[in-house]
Amino acid sequence: MVSTIMLAAPILGILALVFMFIKSAGVSKQDPGNELMQRIGKNIADGAMAFLKAEYKVLVWFVVAVAVILGISAYLDGDDATSWMISVSFVIGAVCSALAGFIGMNVATKANIRTTQAARTSLGKALGVAFDGGAVMGLGVVGLGLLGLGSLFFIFQGQFGVDTELNVLKTISVLTGFSFGASSIALFARVGGGIYTKAADVGADLVGKVEAGIPEDHPLNPATIADNVGDNVGDVAGMGADLFESYVGSIIGTMVIGAAFMSIPAFAQSEMAGLNAVLLPLVVAGIGIVASIIGTFFVRVKEGGDPQKALNTGELIAAVIMLAGTYFAVTTMMPAEWSVENSNGLVQNYTSNGIFFAILFGLISGLGIGYITEYYTGTGTKPVQGIVDQSLTGSATNIIAGLAVGMRSTAYPIVLLCAAIIGSYYFAGLYGIGIAAVGMLANTGIQLAVDAYGPISDNAGGIAEMAGLPKEVRERTDKLDAVGNTTAAIGKGFAIGSAALTALVLFAAFMQTANLTNIDIANPYVTAGLFLGAMLPFLFSAFSMEAVGRAANDMIQEVRRQFADIPELKAALEMMKRAGHDTSKYSPADLAIFNAADGKADYEKCVEISTKASIREMVMPGLIAVITPVVVGFAGGAEMLGGLLAGVTSAGVMMAIFQSNAGGAWDNAKKMFETGASVQGTIYHKGSEPHKAAVVGDTVGDPFKDTSGPSLNILLKLMAVVSLVIAPFLV
Amino acid sequence: MVSTIMLAAPILGILALVFMFIKSAGVSKQDPGNELMQRIGKNIADGAMAFLKAEYKVLVWFVVAVAVILGISAYLDGDDATSWMISVSFVIGAVCSALAGFIGMNVATKANIRTTQAARTSLGKALGVAFDGGAVMGLGVVGLGLLGLGSLFFIFQGQFGVDTELNVLKTISVLTGFSFGASSIALFARVGGGIYTKAADVGADLVGKVEAGIPEDHPLNPATIADNVGDNVGDVAGMGADLFESYVGSIIGTMVIGAAFMSIPAFAQSEMAGLNAVLLPLVVAGIGIVASIIGTFFVRVKEGGDPQKALNTGELIAAVIMLAGTYFAVTTMMPAEWSVENSNGLVQNYTSNGIFFAILFGLISGLGIGYITEYYTGTGTKPVQGIVDQSLTGSATNIIAGLAVGMRSTAYPIVLLCAAIIGSYYFAGLYGIGIAAVGMLANTGIQLAVDAYGPISDNAGGIAEMAGLPKEVRERTDKLDAVGNTTAAIGKGFAIGSAALTALVLFAAFMQTANLTNIDIANPYVTAGLFLGAMLPFLFSAFSMEAVGRAANDMIQEVRRQFADIPELKAALEMMKRAGHDTSKYSPADLAIFNAADGKADYEKCVEISTKASIREMVMPGLIAVITPVVVGFAGGAEMLGGLLAGVTSAGVMMAIFQSNAGGAWDNAKKMFETGASVQGTIYHKGSEPHKAAVVGDTVGDPFKDTSGPSLNILLKLMAVVSLVIAPFLV
């Protein structure tokens, strides 16, 4: 029985991967459109692969170095010869996350042109392709996550045994390496990717549009592909790695907490030798996979229908299936009721229903935080209209309003998060908080599919524009894209909420592993840790914002160099200037010059520059995230490290919400002007003074929402995971 | 012996007040300058008084209402009939703080024109007048603070007795009302004042300069006086109330912690019946008063000399005297060594030298945080030059750079603060942290004199300009003003650092009063409290920034109304427009129109509008600060309240440093362009595109540095003090 359940996790992981390959093949065999569309698509896909290639080149060294350090220190400190296996887990975790990113990006950059092509036929077909493209990312993340975790657990438990709590904890302790590996890739994908995408954006914009006078998306602009790649890097691979980390972290953290139940008679006497609470997170995640797969079949829309409703239906059905399956699993696997006496002599009572309620809390709060995010950042909502109003008096008031909206938007998500923490604890103790996080993340498969659908639709719209397709195609992709903006906002909120809960779960696991029963906030070392921790999100954000500036500068230099050094590009730019950028005035000689320049821009060089810059700039924030907990833990002790984690989590969540939402709100305030925004009864359009003010706000918000804000999700979790990894050495 | 030392505090408080009156009389008898200068000065002084009058009208009701609630609930809950006395303390605390603000503002608005007049003779004389004006504020704050606290303690101990720890704690518990009263005024002065000053600033600027085309400081601009009043409100009264609160809070908090030593034999057998540790904070504060008074005599400068050096000399001498006196007091009053066994059975050893070291740590870290602030915000420093550089590519990059500087600037002050916390704890336990805060704030007398000197010099420069005085006068006041900018930056950093340490001391006192020996961060209620607490500074900042926008709008409406409704103003504005704002082209008839308008602008109405708006807007943030701890304390328990305080303090300090320093850095980046700033080898001046970009940054920074940032100092302390006040009910 134990091994059946143990094998369920890797098997369900494989199931997800099978469906992923089916969806992937389905996307690939769609019509890729005409020759021009295919060329645009190929450029983006090549750029994305160039990025991954360059990134993985550096990553390999990083992963090997950390694996060696990890293995040696575990070997030197470990009380048996197998503890170096943590470095194997680490490598596998890193590989799984990187692989999920690779597959997701690969399909997303195929799905974009195919979505455009499908939109020539019908809205329903276009939605299908875009969503299937996203589903590959979603199923890849949960499939590789659960397969990796499940099979490693199965292998290591064979090594260490599952007879005692100590042995199970030893097994999970080795497994934390998997989570650490996933976090490392997430750091590269989110922080590096965030720097990458904004550097490319600014480079393409400033030199291309402002200096050379060609549109941002013009094929002669060497940075344009990097810019399009950047969207995929940030919103597909970045988001995927972020959720992969949360998914894995929450499961492992809850397994650690669950091990504490092993010695409770009600568990120990069960068929599964007390392992039920340890295995439940894996089972819940597995049920989520099945639910997500079924849910994907319900994402359908007819011509003239609402794609949002289709996505909602899929998610709703997945949620209902997940809850039903989970209820069955919880009541089957867990005793109906039991109680635990903690070290203070207090008795906490548990019930299997309570565990289920905790999962429910997690699911609801995750969705709730997402919808609140949509309220603060969505087009036409009261807060965003407020920013639009303030644009009338210039960019300064626009920016003050955006900062205020971002800060104010922290309130409700935090109240909801606190309610989830207290509620799930009330019903199921610390284990409840853990399983709530697992519940929140169980449906990551379909959740991430919906998230990744956004940038695919966004790209599809751009391709329709560039390829000059008929108006109704663009209308259909716009409809998909508009929904994509909403899902992106919700996804960002969800990512922050799940990061916070995951960090808390890892925190609890850290305490248990470090044998801490209590971290007294009034202990001055803990207080100092708290302050230091609360400072880090500010420092980290400053580093990543400044990094964007420097990386953008590198990109600007490279684009200028290509314009000066590549004769065909230079000639074409001069010709275009001469013709006043009016294609209809091109003479046959002009056209010859233009065609000669086509494809001469060295996209890959720009992609490489941006990648190199982003990886270089990532070193400092990365080191802060990895080294601070190590230094504080060994110099100040486990309790001070606990204070540090509490500080970085609490302040980090606020800064993440603040920056993401301020950026999102500015972005949509600007967008509102593009379609005509009403301020005090007057309609202002693109190019008006208030619109220009709103553009400044949007530019300020770019690094906020795409670099520093989302990077904090990683900071929280990575520091917690590093603490968990070093916890055994701190006892 | 006990009563001699007990009487020392009120007597030294009276000494400070005597010197305050001497300084005040000295300022008053200086030459107020010519008729025009006197008229400008009178307008500002009248405006300031109008502000205070309007503010105090509302305040009276607030104070009475809170006093009644406090008295009744203390009476109902208290175990003896005298606990309602807390409301007496509350009223006296509020009155003392308000009185200090009144006296300080009154003299500052006299000192400004007299500084201008003195600058006609010599730099040394001008410095003397400006500094003496500031010294009145400084000595008033410490004098009223120590007199109030000292005499209330003397009276209440007669009531409750000092024979047992319980009775002493009862005495101090009643005294916490004094601190609460001081905090309430600080809320009005800092938050309301912060909203006031920026509303007036924007109103004067937008309608006057942009719409009517007259300079910001023009006498026909109805908002101009409100604008000048605002500077005094924020930088003199606001800062004074802020430090008054810290001063009083740190002393009371340390007294509570000190009461725990009463039962230690080494104390109990002393002549002072174990009260030494309770009285030491009052004694240290008293020594600081003497040191500050002596220090003021050394602030002198010769023509051509450096005013900064003069101020530094005064502060240095005061610091040396304070340390010498404190060393004597500590070694005399405290046993050479003793030890305490805490509830966990751990023994902490204390020495009198350790106590002295803690004081030293407090003093050094306070000054250190100030100097770090100067580095991040000062003209020509590397971070500010970075913002200047980024202005070249427009306002968006200027703002991103400023935000990054503000966020990055949290790092070193926090490291220093943590060093002070751990260092003072290492040497003298929790009492060490308390006495470190007292040590940091003991020299508030001269510190605040230096702070308040800044806005006086600033006003003096403006008056010299408006009164058309010779160039060398302006040069002298500019020299004073430049130093004033540095001292203001240092003062702001100091205020934040002291607020943080005071909040921690009050936190420790709260734990002791609420009988909490331990607040476990892993307790989910505490975790939820931590998250809620960390969210509040963001919400609070959002409220105050949005409040500035709304209040500014009220001011704009009023100025427009006056321009339309007052015939003389309307005529003069039309005449000036006709003459192209060139005074030399005014015909005799024009001059008659101009003179007829003089004094017709209803300054007081603008002052009242701004005051009313600021007080109205203050209600919401004020309620949050006062009600949240009460609700969380009674609904979630004392431990959750502890988590809330930890969250609000840690995130609040970061947000205060971030916003104050970002604002300061933007301000000085803009100022650098005014005198010609070098970017990549080119010099850019006022009116250049980069300068315009820097102006946008400065405008964004205004509410950051003058409203939301400094308001957080109050939030931290007020929430801690409210918690301390309700702590006895939570046991």
Side-chain angles (χ1 to χ4, degrees):
Chain A
M1 182 71 182
V2 183
S3 39
T4 318
I5 289 206
M6 277 185 200
L7 281 176
I11 289 170
L12 289 170
I14 290 170
L15 178 73
L17 294 178
V18 169
F19 268 86
M20 178 194 79
F21 281 114
I22 295 173
K23 295 271 177 196
S24 173
V27 169
S28 296
K29 72 164 191 253
Q30 297 294 321
D31 181 357
N34 64 31
E35 197 251 341
L36 178 57
M37 285 164 68
Q38 289 188 40
R39 205 170 62 205
I40 298 168
K42 188 176 176 302
N43 281 334
I44 298 175
D46 286 355
M49 287 304 124
F51 166 73
L52 286 183
K53 219 166 67 185
E55 192 195 38
Y56 290 171
K57 253 187 216 161
V58 183
L59 254 175
V60 165
W61 294 110
F62 175 83
V63 168
V64 168
V66 173
V68 169
I69 295 172
L70 211 56
I72 292 176
S73 41
Y75 179 77
L76 291 178
D77 188 275
D79 37 23
D80 60 58
T82 45
S83 48
W84 56 268
M85 284 181 187
I86 192 170
S87 60
V88 175
S89 296
F90 173 79
V91 173
I92 295 178
V95 169
C96 282
S97 176
L99 195 59
F102 175 84
I103 296 169
M105 284 267 277
N106 187 28
V107 172
T109 54
K110 275 182 189 164
N112 50 10
I113 44 170
R114 289 166 175 81
T115 300
T116 317
Q117 179 63 16
R120 298 177 86 157
T121 321
S122 79
L123 180 69
K125 220 179 153 197
L127 172 71
V129 178
F131 181 76
D132 281 355
V136 170
M137 182 84 233
L139 292 171
V141 160
V142 294
L144 286 164
L146 201 57
L147 174 61
L149 266 185
S151 46
L152 282 179
F153 182 75
F154 189 77
I155 294 165
F156 289 135
Q157 61 89 22
Q159 193 75 33
F160 297 105
V162 288
D163 45 339
T164 63
E165 186 183 332
L166 196 72
N167 282 339
V168 170
L169 280 177
K170 217 177 266 173
T171 302
I172 309 176
S173 170
V174 173
L175 225 58
T176 57
F178 188 84
S179 190
F180 185 22
S183 284
S184 303
I185 302 302
L187 182 74
F188 276 74
R190 257 299 193 212
V191 184
I195 296 169
Y196 177 98
T197 176
K198 288 300 119 183
D201 192 10
V202 174
D205 209 46
L206 263 187
V207 188
K209 204 153 62 181
V210 180
E211 296 185 11
I214 55 175
E216 202 174 334
D217 278 330
H218 200 285
L220 294 193
N221 187 340
T224 192
I225 294 299
D227 189 15
N228 276 298
V229 171
D231 293 344
N232 286 301
V233 167
D235 291 343
V236 179
M239 180 63 99
D242 193 342
L243 288 188
F244 188 92
E245 186 190 16
S246 288
Y247 189 74
V248 168
S250 64
I251 293 174
I252 291 181
T254 311
M255 289 171 84
V256 172
I257 302 172
F261 290 146
M262 282 189 68
S263 47
I264 305 296
F267 278 85
Q269 289 150 15
S270 80
E271 286 179 87
M272 281 160 277
L275 267 187
N276 327 38
V278 175
L279 293 176
L280 185 64
L282 291 169
V283 172
V284 171
I287 294 169
I289 283 182
V290 176
S292 290
I293 291 173
I294 299 174
T296 60
F297 290 103
F298 290 88
V299 179
R300 289 163 191 284
V301 71
K302 282 182 188 159
E303 197 61 31
D306 182 0
Q308 181 74 63
K309 232 183 228 166
L311 296 171
N312 289 351
T313 308
E315 283 198 307
L316 187 70
I317 287 174
V320 169
I321 295 172
M322 195 276 273
L323 284 176
T326 300
Y327 185 76
F328 176 77
V330 168
T331 46
T332 310
M333 287 176 68
M334 309 298 267
E337 54 182 38
W338 71 99
S339 55
V340 178
E341 191 181 321
N342 71 12
S343 55
N344 306 331
L346 291 168
V347 174
Q348 171 136 20
N349 296 312
Y350 295 84
T351 62
S352 57
N353 282 338
I355 304 269
F356 176 73
F357 284 136
I359 294 174
L360 195 62
F361 275 120
L363 191 74
I364 291 173
S365 66
L367 292 175
I369 292 173
Y371 284 104
I372 295 169
T373 308
E374 158 65 6
Y375 171 72
Y376 281 102
T377 61
T379 311
T381 61
K382 209 180 138 204
V384 176
Q385 179 64 45
I387 299 177
V388 166
D389 293 346
Q390 291 293 325
S391 308
L392 202 61
T393 34
S395 46
T397 43
N398 166 285
I399 284 164
I400 292 173
L403 290 169
V405 166
M407 289 181 184
R408 182 192 277 266
S409 74
T410 56
Y412 292 120
I414 290 307
V415 170
L416 206 58
L417 192 68
C418 290
I421 292 171
I422 290 181
S424 55
Y425 181 79
Y426 176 81
F427 281 107
L430 221 50
Y431 187 76
I433 298 180
I435 204 78
V438 174
M440 190 191 259
L441 285 153
N443 277 357
T444 292
I446 191 160
Q447 176 71 39
L448 188 51
V450 171
D451 285 346
Y453 146 93
I456 293 174
S457 305
D458 189 7
N459 266 14
I463 292 165
E465 188 81 23
M466 286 193 261
L469 297 185
K471 210 177 135 200
E472 78 264 22
V473 179
R474 179 73 203 202
E475 273 166 11
R476 290 197 188 106
T477 59
D478 274 353
K479 210 166 180 180
L480 296 180
D481 190 21
V483 173
N485 286 334
T486 306
T487 59
I490 295 175
K492 264 182 191 163
F494 178 84
I496 297 171
S498 68
L501 217 47
T502 302
L504 285 183
V505 177
L506 291 170
F507 180 70
F510 155 75
M511 281 183 70
Q512 195 154 320
T513 311
N515 264 343
L516 290 173
T517 50
N518 169 359
I519 296 180
D520 183 11
I521 228 171
N523 170 343
Y525 288 90
V526 177
T527 311
L530 184 76
F531 274 95
L532 282 177
M535 176 267 283
L536 288 178
F538 288 81
L539 186 62
F540 201 80
S541 298
F543 274 123
S544 50
M545 280 198 283
E546 289 171 357
V548 168
R550 280 188 298 263
N553 200 45
D554 288 358
M555 180 62 98
I556 289 171
Q557 304 301 335
E558 171 61 18
V559 176
R560 281 185 188 152
R561 188 197 64 75
Q562 290 198 24
F563 280 166
D565 288 1
I566 301 175
E568 293 89 346
L569 277 187
K570 203 177 167 185
L573 286 175
E574 278 162 7
M575 177 280 292
M576 288 164 72
K577 210 171 226 167
R578 220 167 40 231
H581 297 282
D582 185 347
T583 359
S584 64
K585 285 185 185 157
Y586 289 1
S587 67
D590 286 348
L591 269 178
I593 295 175
F594 187 83
N595 288 333
D598 194 23
K600 286 288 183 291
D602 190 352
Y603 305 133
E604 209 163 320
K605 182 79 191 164
C606 278
V607 167
E608 198 196 318
I609 288 272
S610 201
T611 307
K612 273 197 181 157
S614 68
I615 289 169
R616 177 193 73 216
E617 294 291 349
M618 216 202 56
V619 172
M620 197 59 178
L623 286 179
I624 292 175
V626 176
I627 291 179
T628 315
V630 177
V631 170
V632 169
F634 286 103
E639 296 197 20
M640 184 168 174
L641 178 53
L644 185 85
L645 291 181
V648 77
T649 307
S650 57
V653 172
M654 306 307 146
M655 286 292 280
I657 300 177
F658 158 47
Q659 296 184 81
S660 293
N661 289 358
W666 273 316
D667 189 1
N668 276 333
K670 183 202 69 176
K671 283 202 177 122
M672 282 176 70
F673 281 107
E674 287 171 358
T675 52
S678 165
V679 186
Q680 294 172 10
T682 312
I683 308 282
Y684 294 90
H685 287 279
K686 203 168 174 170
S688 63
E689 284 304 315
H691 174 248
K692 282 180 193 159
V695 168
V696 174
D698 180 44
T699 312
V700 172
D702 264 350
F704 255 41
K705 73 175 201 301
D706 293 325
T707 314
S708 48
S711 297
L712 294 177
N713 297 352
I714 313 299
L715 180 73
L716 310 184
K717 291 179 285 184
L718 185 55
M719 285 183 62
V721 124
V722 171
S723 306
L724 180 57
V725 168
I726 65 170
F729 310 128
L730 297 176
V731 177
Chain B
M1 182 70 182
V2 183
S3 39
T4 317
I5 289 205
M6 277 185 201
L7 281 176
I11 288 171
L12 288 170
I14 291 171
L15 178 73
L17 295 179
V18 168
F19 266 86
M20 180 195 78
F21 281 115
I22 294 173
K23 296 272 179 196
S24 171
V27 168
S28 297
K29 74 164 191 254
Q30 298 293 321
D31 183 358
N34 64 33
E35 197 250 342
L36 177 58
M37 285 163 68
Q38 289 188 40
R39 204 170 64 205
I40 298 168
K42 188 175 175 305
N43 281 334
I44 298 176
D46 286 354
M49 286 305 123
F51 167 73
L52 287 183
K53 220 166 69 187
E55 192 194 37
Y56 291 171
K57 254 187 217 162
V58 183
L59 254 176
V60 164
W61 294 110
F62 176 82
V63 168
V64 168
V66 174
V68 169
I69 295 172
L70 211 56
I72 291 175
S73 40
Y75 178 78
L76 291 178
D77 188 274
D79 37 24
D80 59 57
T82 44
S83 49
W84 57 269
M85 284 182 187
I86 193 170
S87 60
V88 175
S89 295
F90 173 78
V91 173
I92 295 178
V95 168
C96 282
S97 177
L99 195 59
F102 176 84
I103 296 170
M105 284 268 277
N106 187 28
V107 171
T109 53
K110 274 181 188 165
N112 50 9
I113 43 168
R114 288 168 175 80
T115 301
T116 316
Q117 180 63 14
R120 299 177 85 158
T121 322
S122 79
L123 180 70
K125 220 177 152 197
L127 171 71
V129 178
F131 180 75
D132 281 356
V136 170
M137 181 85 233
L139 292 172
V141 160
V142 294
L144 285 164
L146 201 57
L147 173 61
L149 266 185
S151 46
L152 282 180
F153 182 74
F154 188 77
I155 293 166
F156 290 135
Q157 61 88 22
Q159 193 76 31
F160 297 104
V162 288
D163 45 341
T164 64
E165 186 182 333
L166 197 72
N167 283 338
V168 170
L169 280 178
K170 216 176 268 173
T171 303
I172 309 176
S173 169
V174 173
L175 225 58
T176 58
F178 188 84
S179 190
F180 186 21
S183 285
S184 303
I185 302 301
L187 182 73
F188 277 74
R190 253 305 190 209
V191 184
I195 295 169
Y196 177 99
T197 177
K198 289 301 117 181
D201 192 8
V202 174
D205 209 45
L206 265 187
V207 188
K209 204 152 66 181
V210 180
E211 296 186 9
I214 56 175
E216 202 175 334
D217 278 329
H218 199 285
L220 294 193
N221 188 339
T224 191
I225 294 299
D227 189 14
N228 276 297
V229 171
D231 293 344
N232 286 300
V233 167
D235 291 344
V236 179
M239 180 62 98
D242 193 344
L243 289 188
F244 188 91
E245 186 191 17
S246 289
Y247 188 75
V248 167
S250 63
I251 293 174
I252 291 180
T254 310
M255 289 171 84
V256 172
I257 302 172
F261 290 146
M262 282 190 69
S263 48
I264 306 298
F267 278 85
Q269 288 150 15
S270 80
E271 287 179 87
M272 280 159 279
L275 268 188
N276 327 39
V278 175
L279 293 176
L280 186 64
L282 291 170
V283 172
V284 171
I287 294 169
I289 284 183
V290 175
S292 290
I293 291 173
I294 298 175
T296 59
F297 289 104
F298 289 88
V299 178
R300 288 163 192 284
V301 70
K302 284 182 186 158
E303 198 62 28
D306 182 0
Q308 181 75 63
K309 230 182 228 167
L311 296 171
N312 288 351
T313 308
E315 282 197 308
L316 187 71
I317 287 175
V320 170
I321 294 172
M322 196 275 274
L323 285 176
T326 301
Y327 185 75
F328 175 76
V330 168
T331 46
T332 310
M333 287 176 69
M334 308 297 268
E337 54 182 40
W338 71 100
S339 55
V340 177
E341 193 182 323
N342 72 11
S343 56
N344 306 332
L346 291 168
V347 174
Q348 171 136 24
N349 296 311
Y350 295 85
T351 63
S352 57
N353 281 338
I355 304 270
F356 176 72
F357 283 136
I359 294 174
L360 194 62
F361 275 119
L363 191 73
I364 291 173
S365 65
L367 292 175
I369 292 173
Y371 282 103
I372 294 168
T373 308
E374 158 64 8
Y375 171 71
Y376 281 102
T377 61
T379 312
T381 61
K382 210 180 138 204
V384 176
Q385 179 65 45
I387 299 177
V388 166
D389 293 346
Q390 291 293 325
S391 308
L392 202 61
T393 33
S395 45
T397 42
N398 165 286
I399 284 165
I400 293 173
L403 290 168
V405 166
M407 288 180 185
R408 182 192 276 267
S409 75
T410 56
Y412 292 120
I414 291 305
V415 170
L416 206 58
L417 192 67
C418 290
I421 291 170
I422 290 181
S424 55
Y425 181 79
Y426 177 80
F427 280 109
L430 222 51
Y431 188 75
I433 297 179
I435 204 78
V438 174
M440 191 190 258
L441 285 152
N443 277 357
T444 292
I446 192 160
Q447 177 71 38
L448 189 50
V450 171
D451 285 345
Y453 146 93
I456 294 174
S457 306
D458 190 7
N459 266 13
I463 292 164
E465 189 81 23
M466 287 192 260
L469 297 186
K471 210 176 136 201
E472 77 263 21
V473 178
R474 180 73 205 200
E475 272 167 9
R476 289 196 188 109
T477 59
D478 274 354
K479 211 164 177 178
L480 296 180
D481 190 21
V483 173
N485 285 336
T486 307
T487 59
I490 295 176
K492 264 182 190 162
F494 178 83
I496 297 171
S498 67
L501 217 47
T502 301
L504 286 183
V505 176
L506 291 169
F507 180 70
F510 155 76
M511 282 184 69
Q512 196 154 320
T513 311
N515 264 344
L516 291 172
T517 50
N518 170 357
I519 295 180
D520 183 10
I521 230 170
N523 170 341
Y525 289 91
V526 177
T527 312
L530 185 76
F531 274 96
L532 283 177
M535 176 267 282
L536 289 178
F538 288 81
L539 186 63
F540 201 79
S541 298
F543 274 125
S544 49
M545 280 196 286
E546 289 171 357
V548 168
R550 280 188 299 263
N553 201 45
D554 287 359
M555 181 61 99
I556 289 170
Q557 304 301 337
E558 171 61 19
V559 176
R560 282 185 186 152
R561 188 196 64 74
Q562 289 197 24
F563 281 166
D565 289 2
I566 301 177
E568 293 91 344
L569 277 186
K570 202 177 169 185
L573 286 175
E574 277 163 6
M575 178 280 292
M576 287 163 73
K577 209 171 227 168
R578 220 167 42 231
H581 296 283
D582 185 348
T583 359
S584 64
K585 284 185 185 158
Y586 289 3
S587 67
D590 286 349
L591 268 179
I593 295 175
F594 187 83
N595 287 333
D598 194 22
K600 287 288 183 290
D602 190 352
Y603 304 132
E604 210 162 320
K605 182 78 192 168
C606 278
V607 167
E608 198 196 317
I609 288 273
S610 201
T611 308
K612 273 196 180 156
S614 67
I615 288 169
R616 178 193 72 217
E617 295 290 350
M618 217 202 56
V619 172
M620 198 58 180
L623 284 180
I624 292 175
V626 175
I627 290 178
T628 315
V630 176
V631 171
V632 170
F634 286 103
E639 296 197 19
M640 183 168 176
L641 178 53
L644 185 84
L645 291 181
V648 77
T649 307
S650 57
V653 171
M654 305 309 147
M655 287 292 280
I657 299 178
F658 158 47
Q659 297 185 79
S660 293
N661 289 358
W666 273 316
D667 188 3
N668 275 332
K670 185 201 67 174
K671 283 201 177 125
M672 282 177 70
F673 282 108
E674 288 172 358
T675 52
S678 166
V679 186
Q680 293 173 11
T682 314
I683 308 282
Y684 294 90
H685 288 278
K686 204 168 172 169
S688 63
E689 283 304 316
H691 174 248
K692 282 180 194 160
V695 168
V696 174
D698 180 44
T699 312
V700 172
D702 264 350
F704 255 41
K705 73 176 201 299
D706 293 325
T707 312
S708 49
S711 297
L712 294 176
N713 296 351
I714 312 298
L715 180 74
L716 310 185
K717 290 179 286 183
L718 185 55
M719 284 183 61
V721 120
V722 171
S723 306
L724 180 57
V725 167
I726 64 170
F729 310 129
L730 298 176
V731 177

